[in-house]
Amino acid sequence: MTTFSRKQVLGNIAALLSGTALSRGLSALILIVVARQVGPDAYGQYSATIALVGLVAILCSLGLEHWLLYKGGGDREHLDTWFSSSFWLTVLLGAGWMAGLWIVTPYLNPSSFPLNLVVLASLALWLEEVARLIWSVFKARMRNQLTSLLMIVSQGAFLAICLFLAGMGSQAPSAYMAARLVAAALAAVASGLLVWRELGIRFRPGAMRPVLRGTLPFAASSAFAVVYGRADLAIVGNALGKSAAGIYAPALTLTNTLFLIPVAVYEVMVPLLSRGYKQDRAWTARTATWLVVGMLVVGVALAAGLRWAAEPLVTLLYGPEFESSAEVLAVLSGVLAMRCPTIALAALLVAVGWQSARVGVQGVSAVVNVVLNLLVVHSLGVRGVARVYLVSELVLLLGHLGLFLLWVKSQRTPKSY
């Protein structure tokens, strides 16, 4: 049904999955090195700062990497124009975003969010957004072997610098945040040189306006995803302090690390389903249905395994100082069972042009997450916050499933066309 054979599709999924798995594994190892080296309190500062900066990073990324993946998958003829416009928007918006963040930071909890950490983290995340935008080009062109290589090299460089700092006995979280900045700069420059050779990077102000209009649903989607995925840690850090954040962060990190499987499937299937939808809608519906069922099975298996291994895993990776994180991890394991089929449903909805409807579901989930977290954070602590994550994830799954069923019904109703 598409210009790619089944072998090519499976090869791209395998390449992106293996590359994502290795890069996420390296990322998790980095966080373990940092946590063991700096201790729970300083690690709480480090992780809470990243969560805070990530919450507002959407102001410079605008969901452009996801929009580019969708547009580039459906029609690659204009990929160079779309990419150039997206690139310059990310670069230019990043400057204003960082300035505003640095001005606001002194009004936050200084114990959890030191200004020097926020400055380093914002620069690092900005460069990472640039690199991810470029990687979306390679994903849209089904060049996921190259994407995987760039991801692995980036995290490998970050790990090497962290190990060097640990060997030198450094215990300052700012040193490890600076290491992240250096690795992000290397990734952005290397990726930029490669895409410049293939597509070029042209400054076309007139092409930016239609890109901004097109990416609005993706920007809103990314903003809501960041809220229900990171707001909890930022709320814990600001309300309960760095020690509580140091307990919650390891559990959240281990859970998020396992998201690599559904995310890899999503990033391969969005351009494939987008292209297939233009050629055969029945094929798209069948493929999406099997994808959802398969990812549900994967999610349940991952959740069961993580819950069973929660206590020994935390002790092994982080040490006895973080034993309280195991109880939180056992609760968060349930998120995996729901996130896997949700991401499969999201791939279909994006590919068929239902992104705007999907944003409404994500907005409800984000509101539920923030409101409930603010209500329970002081009374129920980090365990209550973990349970709120489960509730918001269930809202997300049910909403995506409802949209999927509406889309299936629309395909059977002639007047819907």
Side-chain angles (χ1 to χ4, degrees), residues 263-410:
V263 167
V265 173
Y266 172 90
E267 291 179 340
V268 171
M269 293 306 297
V270 165
L272 181 68
L273 291 172
S274 177
R275 191 176 297 113
Y277 183 62
K278 293 182 178 180
Q279 300 175 16
D280 191 330
R281 297 188 177 188
W283 173 87
T284 304
R286 289 195 306 271
T287 302
T289 300
W290 282 109
L291 182 64
V292 172
V293 172
M295 293 308 294
L296 175 61
V297 173
V298 171
V300 171
L302 288 174
L306 186 60
R307 185 177 182 84
W308 174 77
E311 186 173 348
L313 190 61
V314 168
T315 303
L316 174 65
L317 296 178
Y318 290 93
E321 291 177 290
F322 291 87
E323 63 180 351
S324 298
S325 298
E327 296 179 34
V328 179
L329 181 59
V331 176
L332 290 181
S333 63
V335 173
L336 283 166
M338 294 180 279
R339 179 61 63 91
C340 286
T342 296
I343 288 183
L345 291 165
L348 180 278
L349 294 172
V350 169
V352 301
W354 280 46
Q355 174 65 12
S356 296
R358 178 176 171 246
V359 168
V361 172
Q362 291 180 290
V364 172
S365 179
V367 171
V368 168
N369 184 282
V370 172
V371 171
L372 291 183
N373 272 322
L374 292 174
L375 289 174
V376 309
V377 65
H378 289 290
S379 58
L380 300 180
V382 293
R383 292 171 186 81
V385 171
R387 294 188 180 95
V388 167
Y389 198 162
L390 290 178
V391 173
S392 63
E393 196 67 30
L394 179 60
V395 170
L396 199 64
L397 173 59
L398 294 177
H400 277 74
L401 182 59
L403 290 176
F404 173 71
L405 295 176
L406 286 174
W407 176 78
V408 171
K409 183 179 179 181
S410 73

Side-chain angles (χ1 to χ4, degrees), residues 55 69 107 170 204 223-224 247 386 397 403:
L55 278 173
L69 185 65
Y107 297 97
S170 176
R204 299 173 177 173
F224 291 137
I247 292 173
L397 173 59
L403 290 176

Side-chain angles (χ1 to χ4, degrees), residues 24-83:
R24 286 286 184 92
L26 292 172
S27 178
L29 183 57
I30 289 165
L31 293 175
I32 292 168
V33 170
V34 175
R36 283 181 170 271
Q37 195 67 22
V38 304
D41 286 0
Y43 183 67
Q45 286 183 326
Y46 180 91
S47 54
T49 298
I50 292 175
L52 171 69
V53 175
L55 278 173
V56 292
I58 187 62
L59 296 177
C60 77
S61 68
L62 294 180
L64 287 164
E65 63 173 296
H66 303 293
W67 176 83
L68 193 60
L69 185 65
Y70 160 67
K71 292 291 289 185
D75 179 7
R76 292 187 290 172
E77 292 182 4
H78 302 96
L79 186 57
D80 58 338
T81 300
W82 294 328
F83 164 68

Side-chain angles (χ1 to χ4, degrees), residues 68-151:
L68 193 60
L69 185 65
Y70 160 67
K71 292 291 289 185
D75 179 7
R76 292 187 290 172
E77 292 182 4
H78 302 96
L79 186 57
D80 58 338
T81 300
W82 294 328
F83 164 68
S84 294
S85 299
S86 301
F87 175 83
W88 287 113
L89 281 169
T90 303
V91 170
L92 296 173
L93 290 172
W97 162 71
M98 286 187 290
L101 181 60
W102 299 347
I103 292 172
V104 171
T105 298
Y107 297 97
L108 302 176
N109 186 339
S111 174
S112 297
F113 308 110
L115 180 58
N116 64 326
L117 280 185
V118 172
V119 170
L120 291 170
S122 59
L123 287 167
L125 264 67
W126 174 53
L127 290 170
E128 288 170 2
E129 290 291 347
V130 172
R132 280 194 289 268
L133 179 70
I134 296 170
W135 296 345
S136 288
V137 173
F138 300 134
K139 292 172 186 175
R141 303 182 76 182
M142 286 291 185
R143 296 192 60 196
N144 286 306
Q145 292 83 358
L146 178 57
T147 306
S148 297
L149 178 62
L150 290 168
M151 293 164 58

